[in-house]
Amino acid sequence: MENSNFDRNELAKFESIAEKWWDKSSEFKPLHDINPLRANYIDEHAQVSGKKVIDVGCGGGILSEAMAEKGAFVTGIDMGEAPLGVARLHASNSELNIEYLHSTAEDLAKERAQTYDVVCCLEMLEHVPDPASVVKACHDLVKPGGYVFFSTINRNPKAYALAIIGAEYILNLLPRGTHDYNKLIKPSELSKAARDAGLMVKELKGMTFNPITDTYKLGKNVDVNYLMYCQRPEQND
Ligand code: SAH
């Protein structure tokens, strides 16, 4: 039976605005703005050139294309049809050869266990019913010794104020309702899910937004947005 760890209401949020995915002044501006930071962070730790990379919850393919441009062999998966359509068209216009599949991470992990050198799952876990199940699938997809990168939003009053009230209601960076407070994930919860899945957590990195300069940077502060970098042990246990 096919895995059902996805939420149609969450997917609908992205389906309805997918055609704007590559418009850098649209709702997707924040993803475009953070993309060089996260793509470089991944490349610094995992040297993606010539490697097999999978982008879980790839959407319109902003990270997938950046990985392909850095020389990786990229597979992107998403449960949204419209984002995948946009991703396929954009890659072909950019003359990038990227494999895009309509699948959950859990389903693909059954067919392609231990296939990828690098697994990326960015800004997606806060949209699924059971994030720990996706974390486990990411572990299963990566080769022993390979790297897994997650990013999501912390859950605390400051994250509520900045990522939901600030970004959705004051600055209008994201459509209202994009993020549901109860689905946000604390770094401690993500670390536990990663360890329970058999991954070693190597680093937690904060991502902060300065609304005055309209810029993002990576640093120590994980109060709101953060990245987590993990490694699958070489030894199978
Ligand atoms: N990772 C991309 C897009 C983030 S938007 C980036 O950071 O640039 C979140 C994406 O997750 C949407 O495209 C949505 O369709 C997808 N998504 C949500 N639930 C999913 C699931 N269970 N499996 C696969 N993709 C999912």
Side-chain angles (χ1 to χ4, degrees):
M1 206 178 70
E2 290 205 336
N3 181 275
S4 58
N5 185 22
F6 57 88
D7 177 335
R8 289 192 196 286
N9 293 325
E10 291 290 333
L11 297 177
K13 294 177 185 176
F14 299 98
E15 295 277 359
S16 63
I17 52 171
E19 80 276 8
K20 289 188 263 181
W21 213 289
W22 285 89
D23 175 351
K24 292 185 181 163
S25 60
S26 75
E27 293 89 330
F28 294 101
K29 179 178 190 298
L31 291 181
H32 288 280
D33 288 346
I34 64 175
N35 204 46
L37 285 178
R38 61 193 194 171
N40 288 336
Y41 180 78
I42 293 166
D43 195 33
E44 261 167 42
H45 291 284
Q47 289 85 44
V48 303
S49 180
K51 306 248 179 88
K52 291 183 77 170
V53 175
I54 184 162
D55 184 9
V56 172
C58 61
I62 298 175
L63 182 82
S64 296
E65 289 204 9
M67 294 288 101
E69 279 164 3
K70 290 182 187 293
F73 299 103
V74 182
T75 299
I77 64 170
D78 203 283
M79 282 305 283
E81 294 286 1
L84 275 180
V86 170
R88 289 192 179 111
L89 186 64
H90 199 275
S92 114
N93 289 338
S94 310
E95 297 187 3
L96 290 169
N97 193 7
I98 298 174
E99 177 189 42
Y100 283 114
L101 304 172
H102 184 251
S103 179
T104 59
E106 289 90 339
D107 282 334
L108 200 70
K110 285 178 217 145
E111 279 169 45
R112 298 192 182 175
Q114 307 195 17
T115 300
Y116 296 92
D117 300 290
V118 182
V119 176
C120 307
C121 179
L122 308 186
E123 313 304 327
M124 180 270 198
L125 292 172
E126 70 276 20
H127 300 288
V128 300
D130 181 359
S133 161
V134 177
V135 171
K136 178 74 173 71
C138 290
H139 162 277
D140 295 347
L141 284 162
V142 80
K143 293 176 185 172
Y147 299 105
V148 183
F149 295 85
F150 298 108
S151 74
T152 188
I153 307 174
N154 203 338
R155 190 179 70 257
N156 57 51
K158 181 175 168 186
Y160 179 66
L162 299 187
I164 298 185
I165 302 301
E168 297 181 14
Y169 292 85
I170 299 173
L171 301 173
N172 294 317
L173 293 171
L174 296 173
R176 296 179 182 180
T178 300
H179 290 117
D180 173 353
Y181 182 72
N182 297 313
K183 290 193 145 95
L184 304 183
I185 305 169
K186 293 183 180 177
S188 57
E189 295 163 346
L190 184 54
S191 305
K192 182 176 186 308
R195 287 193 308 270
D196 288 350
L199 292 168
M200 302 183 288
V201 177
K202 307 282 282 187
E203 190 177 59
L204 195 59
K205 199 88 184 168
M207 196 160 51
T208 51
F209 174 59
N210 180 338
I212 311 291
T213 55
D214 189 26
T215 52
Y216 293 82
K217 68 172 200 279
L218 297 185
K220 287 204 180 93
N221 187 338
V222 299
D223 291 350
V224 186
N225 292 90
Y226 65 94
L227 285 150
M228 184 180 287
Y229 144 55
C230 303
Q231 187 174 22
R232 179 168 172 164
E234 286 287 354
Q235 212 67 22
N236 274 320
D237 38 32

